[in-house]
Amino acid sequence: MDLRVNDTTLHVVATGPDDGPTVVLVHGFPLDHRMWRRPLEELSDAYRTVAYDVRGLGRSEVGDGQYTMELFADDLLALLDALDPGPVVGCGLSMGGYVLLRALEREPERFRGAVLADTRTAADDDATRLARARSIRTLRTDGVGPFADAMLPKLLGATTRAERPAVVEEVRRLAVENDPRGLAGAQLAMLSRTDTTGVLGRLEIPVLVVVGEEDELTPPDGARAMAEAVPDGRVAVIPGAGHVTPMERPAAFLEALRAFLDELSGSPAPP
Ligand code: MLT
């Protein structure tokens, strides 16, 4: 369905019982909600599972392409208002984690648990900002195909690249179906985002940090440090996966996610 929130139209997919505990999935870059295909299919027996396309990506409205992480967090919080499910479990991968972390920093009471997958709290350093500026130039001059081809080896682990050509093809397809203006806008949002490290120690909810063992963009050591900084944090390292764990090792990712959700579903929601 398409939902009008925060002066934009977001493409939203929801599975599972309307009155079930809600988990909201925020995808990574340069992908869209379809990276959550397996959780959308398989958690729906017990959980209201909601995934959406971040503004400018997938089938959500592109608008003017002038995005900030703050705007992405506004969109997520407005989507929660529209769904009206009470406190949810938020789950964000990489860029989705940046969005979720900022929303957690601003309105922690909206969440009763969080899953931070293949992500980080640090803002970009200068080298990364300049690399993003170069990639925006590539998008303008060469289009989405060369941009996606340059990103794929960083996104996917060595095992996936060697052994799972169908996954490589699916990730590439999601990337190239994006509008270059939306991709450039998301790069601007990421390069200008703030550091959210301070929020980890203040979180009063259970947090699961998930990371692919072969993730080179947000490596396991950083994930372990994030989990240690959260009072009720834990980490799951997924073998044979790089940065896009739910697509590279869907069964292992789902096992970790479901165990966490099941543990939480007995927890009372915060007042
Ligand atoms: C992502 O997977 O969302 C991006 O690689 C994150 C980033 O570029 O920082």
Side-chain angles (χ1 to χ4, degrees):
M1 66 183 151
D2 287 335
L3 265 186
R4 189 85 199 145
V5 295
N6 197 30
D7 291 329
T8 194
T9 302
L10 297 182
H11 183 67
V12 182
V13 172
T15 61
D18 281 349
D19 58 352
T22 300
V23 52
V24 177
L25 307 166
V26 194
H27 65 80
F29 176 89
L31 307 172
D32 67 30
H33 80 277
R34 290 174 293 177
M35 64 156 282
W36 300 115
R37 181 171 58 81
R38 290 283 296 274
L40 281 164
E41 284 169 7
E42 292 180 36
L43 294 176
S44 60
D45 58 339
Y47 295 96
R48 185 188 190 202
T49 310
V50 179
Y52 70 102
D53 290 342
V54 170
R55 183 189 289 245
L57 300 172
R59 288 164 59 190
S60 287
E61 188 178 332
V62 175
D64 62 9
Q66 306 294 303
Y67 316 143
T68 59
M69 200 53 62
E70 212 56 14
L71 185 65
F72 287 166
D74 291 341
D75 289 347
L76 171 58
L77 294 167
L79 175 63
L80 297 185
D81 288 338
L83 297 170
D84 195 22
V88 303
V89 178
C91 171
L93 182 128
S94 197
M95 179 187 75
Y98 308 158
V99 179
L100 178 59
L101 280 158
R102 185 62 189 127
L104 284 162
E105 193 168 40
R106 282 172 49 182
E107 300 193 17
E109 68 284 0
R110 310 293 293 269
F111 300 91
R112 64 187 193 94
V115 182
L116 300 169
D118 301 279
T119 193
R120 63 161 66 80
T121 55
D124 283 359
D125 58 22
D126 283 352
T128 307
R129 289 193 168 126
L130 291 171
R132 290 198 200 278
R134 281 194 299 277
S135 81
I136 292 172
R137 193 189 294 138
T138 306
L139 277 165
R140 287 220 178 92
T141 54
D142 305 340
V144 177
F147 170 82
D149 289 333
M151 271 209 83
L152 275 182
K154 294 179 223 159
L155 288 174
L156 298 171
T159 305
T160 299
R161 280 183 276 132
E163 296 175 11
R164 299 180 207 118
V167 174
V168 177
E169 192 41 49
E170 195 182 356
V171 171
R172 186 178 191 281
R173 186 168 56 84
L174 298 193
V176 297
E177 285 180 8
N178 279 303
D179 186 312
R181 293 168 304 161
L183 292 173
Q187 288 282 49
L188 286 174
M190 288 191 282
L191 77 77
S192 60
R193 75 187 191 279
T194 55
D195 188 310
T196 52
T197 306
V199 73
L200 295 176
R202 297 196 298 272
L203 290 174
E204 293 175 357
I205 54 173
V207 173
L208 169 67
V209 180
V210 182
V211 67
E213 190 178 31
E214 301 171 10
D215 185 344
E216 289 175 14
L217 286 177
T218 49
D221 281 356
R224 288 191 191 94
M226 279 169 64
E228 273 164 28
V230 176
D232 189 3
R234 76 242 37 212
V235 68
V237 180
I238 309 290
H243 188 62
V244 195
T245 44
M247 292 181 77
E248 294 183 60
R249 281 284 190 216
F253 181 87
L254 263 162
E255 193 184 324
L257 177 57
R258 186 185 281 277
F260 181 68
L261 293 173
D262 289 352
E263 182 191 328
L264 271 176
S265 61
S267 318

